[in-house]
């Protein structure tokens, strides 16, 4: 199994550009999450989804959008990139039938720089 | 108010030493507790869960004190390969949402010196 796959691994964007960070999991996990990690900081939750068609905001959702049309995919959209969105983005998933907090699988991350 | 707060780093310790990390969390309704390890530019990986009774995994010992909302990690006989950032993580209900999620501390950077 591939687990959680994120693409691209690296990207440089100009201010005002848009892009979609892709996240795909092949484990049939219900829950999926997007986190961002700024230098020297912990991960902060951007958006999450408890299943196909259901998404909700996390701690830092401003400037981002998500969709969950299938169980496998959970793309993160940046519409108007700003320097404050320079960060490393991690996607994670976990199954429904695990005790809360357990069973998370993280992708390897997307390193985004906005200039 | 920081939800998960950790010791400031970096910790520079010689190989073979014992090192301890501490962490406090603010949400008393937090349900489960973990230490994650993160290597430079990589994704965080689960190191171990933390229980009130204390738990040990080889050279690593973790402890939870729910009354004090305090979590600790002890690494004995440290190895060069232990050099990494250690993240204190708690799981709790997401504010305003219908699910739970992980809240991460900033992490403590550990450098083991030969």
């Amino acid at each position: 199994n591939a687990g959680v796959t994120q693409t691209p691994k690296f990207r440089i964007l100009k201010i005002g550009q848009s892009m979609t960070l892709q996240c795909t999991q092949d484990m049939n996990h219900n829950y999926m999450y997007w986190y961002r990690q700024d230098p020297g900081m912990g991960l902060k939750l951007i958006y999450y989804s408890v299943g196909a068609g259901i998404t909700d905001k996390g701690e830092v959702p401003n400037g981002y959008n998500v969709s969950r049309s299938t169980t496998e995919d959970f793309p993160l959209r940046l519409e108007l990139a700003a320097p404050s969105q320079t960060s490393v983005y991690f996607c994670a998933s976990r199954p429904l039938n695990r005790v809360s907090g357990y069973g998370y699988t993280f992708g390897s991350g997307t390193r985004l720089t906005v200039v | 108010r920081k939800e998960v707060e950790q010791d400031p780093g970096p910790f520079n310790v010689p190989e073979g030493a014992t090192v301890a990390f501490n962490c406090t969390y603010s949400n008393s309704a937090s349900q489960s507790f973990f230490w994650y390890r993160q290597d430079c530019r990589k994704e965080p990986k689960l190191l171990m869960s933390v229980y009130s009774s204390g738990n040990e995994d080889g050279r690593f010992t973790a402890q939870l004190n729910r009354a004090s909302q305090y979590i600790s990690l002890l690494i004995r006989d440290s190895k060069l390969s232990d050099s990494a950032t250690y993240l204190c993580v708690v799981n709790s209900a997401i504010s305003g949402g219908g699910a739970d999620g992980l809240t991460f501390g900033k992490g403590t950077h550990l450098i083991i010196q030969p």
Side-chain angles (χ1 to χ4, degrees):
Chain A
N1 287 340
V4 177
T5 302
Q6 291 185 238
T7 57
K9 292 190 182 302
F10 305 95
R11 184 73 185 270
I12 298 175
L13 275 183
K14 293 185 178 179
I15 294 171
Q17 287 186 320
S18 62
M19 77 164 292
T20 299
L21 283 67
Q22 301 291 347
C23 176
T24 300
Q25 52 93 7
D26 61 358
M27 299 169 285
N28 201 33
H29 285 176
N30 292 81
Y31 288 78
M32 295 188 75
Y33 304 82
W34 272 107
Y35 290 90
R36 60 175 285 173
Q37 185 177 32
D38 299 331
M41 304 293 286
L43 282 69
K44 292 189 182 295
L45 183 65
I46 305 171
Y47 269 96
Y48 67 98
S49 169
V50 300
I54 306 170
T55 63
D56 212 339
K57 296 178 180 180
E59 182 184 359
V60 289
N62 292 342
Y64 307 94
N65 280 299
V66 293
S67 60
R68 185 95 182 270
S69 57
T70 66
T71 298
E72 295 78 19
D73 300 308
F74 190 40
L76 178 72
R77 179 85 177 161
L78 283 71
E79 291 294 348
L80 290 170
S84 61
Q85 294 177 305
T86 294
S87 191
V88 181
Y89 292 83
F90 291 103
C91 179
S93 71
R94 75 168 179 91
L96 175 64
N97 59 342
R98 288 294 303 268
V99 173
S100 294
Y102 291 81
Y104 280 78
T105 301
F106 282 83
S108 58
T110 294
R111 187 171 299 271
L112 176 67
T113 302
V114 181
V115 296
Chain B
R1 183 179 66 174
K2 296 179 181 177
E3 294 193 43
V4 179
E5 197 159 354
Q6 298 186 234
D7 281 349
F11 282 30
N12 288 276
V13 301
E15 193 174 7
T18 296
V19 59
F21 299 141
N22 303 310
C23 166
T24 56
Y25 61 95
S26 60
N27 185 351
S28 60
S30 296
Q31 303 151 342
S32 44
F33 309 87
F34 309 91
W35 284 100
Y36 274 69
R37 170 188 170 132
Q38 187 174 29
D39 294 293
C40 186
R41 296 174 176 262
K42 297 290 183 79
E43 72 273 23
K45 293 186 177 179
L46 179 64
L47 178 66
M48 58 195 303
S49 307
V50 190
Y51 306 110
S52 297
S53 55
N55 49 301
E56 188 174 306
D57 183 1
R59 298 180 293 107
F60 298 82
T61 301
Q63 186 75 51
L64 166 66
N65 184 322
R66 281 189 180 268
S68 303
Q69 297 180 198
Y70 173 92
I71 305 165
S72 65
L73 176 68
L74 186 74
I75 306 174
R76 293 181 301 278
D77 187 24
S78 54
K79 313 291 185 189
L80 294 175
S81 58
D82 293 334
S83 296
T85 296
Y86 291 82
L87 302 167
C88 181
V89 184
V90 305
N91 188 78
S92 52
I94 298 172
S95 178
D100 56 272
L102 300 178
T103 300
F104 290 79
K106 290 184 179 181
T108 301
H109 189 42
L110 174 64
I111 302 169
I112 305 299
Q113 297 172 333

